[in-house]
Amino acid sequence: MSEDRGFHPPVERIVETSEGMHTLGIELAGMLRPGDLLVLSGPLGAGKTTLTRGIGDGLGVRGPVTSPTFVLARTHPSLVGGPPLVHVDAYRLSSALELDDLDIDYARSVVVVEWGRGMLEGVAESWLEVAIERPTGAGDSSAHDDERELDADEPRTVAITGFGPRWSELAADG
């Protein structure tokens, strides 16, 4: 899928706090339906899991939504008759084939893939890419020494770009 299938420029938002990131997730959940795929990118501590937790709350899934780092993928069934949320951490995966081996039901779920940029070619016709940037200097190796710094409330820039027909239609309606 080439970038020209997305709508440009991306929708950008400054998110001041982790609570704001959670709220953005709830807002995004209101636009999602079964078959939707979101790819989250950003450094450690950027807020990818916090955003996903908000999506889970907005979808009304069973929680808690936590990072699936050690299990690679975790499915959260709906408590309200909606689609389940499949939360994937692709950090330790090296290819789309390994992602495919997880046997995810993309058609009936909302799937959020952290660290999945560049691994979804051919997996879906449409997806949302959510890039989260921390301020310069945040997330560097010295910050990793102190978990409190990773989770510190500081403004993040969130850029959301839709790719494929599903999100092109939404952009045209918007």
Side-chain angles (χ1 to χ4, degrees):
M1 308 279 149
S2 65
E3 225 174 292
D4 62 316
R5 295 191 65 183
F7 54 89
H8 302 281
V11 175
E12 287 195 5
R13 182 179 295 182
I14 303 296
V15 177
E16 299 288 337
T17 64
S18 59
E19 183 177 310
M21 190 68 73
H22 183 266
T23 300
L24 176 59
I26 293 170
E27 184 181 321
L28 281 171
M31 301 174 11
L32 300 175
R33 63 183 188 206
D36 284 342
L37 172 64
L38 293 84
V39 180
L40 310 185
S41 64
L44 288 171
K48 296 179 294 294
T49 300
T50 301
L51 181 72
T52 305
R53 190 172 299 120
I55 291 169
D57 286 348
L59 291 174
V61 300
R62 186 176 70 213
V65 174
T66 59
S67 178
T69 300
F70 299 106
V71 295
L72 301 180
R74 183 174 284 127
T75 299
H76 299 274
S78 177
L79 298 173
V80 295
L85 171 67
V86 178
H87 185 194
V88 180
D89 186 329
Y91 185 77
R92 294 184 299 159
L93 302 179
S94 60
S95 70
L97 287 174
E98 288 183 8
L99 185 62
D100 191 47
D101 284 344
L102 296 176
D103 200 27
I104 296 167
D105 183 357
Y106 290 97
R108 290 189 283 267
S109 306
V110 169
V111 179
V112 175
V113 181
E114 295 187 29
W115 306 100
R117 182 181 274 168
M119 285 193 193
L120 299 170
E121 194 69 33
V123 170
E125 183 178 40
S126 298
W127 70 92
L128 281 181
E129 185 172 290
V130 181
I132 306 170
E133 293 183 23
R134 294 182 75 181
T136 303
D140 64 15
S141 60
S142 63
H144 296 172
D145 294 336
D146 188 343
E147 194 168 314
R148 288 174 303 199
E149 286 186 41
L150 278 176
D151 294 331
D153 272 340
E154 58 189 358
R156 275 108 160 122
T157 302
V158 180
I160 304 170
T161 306
F163 294 87
R166 158 88 164 106
W167 299 109
S168 295
E169 291 167 12
L170 186 67
D173 292 343

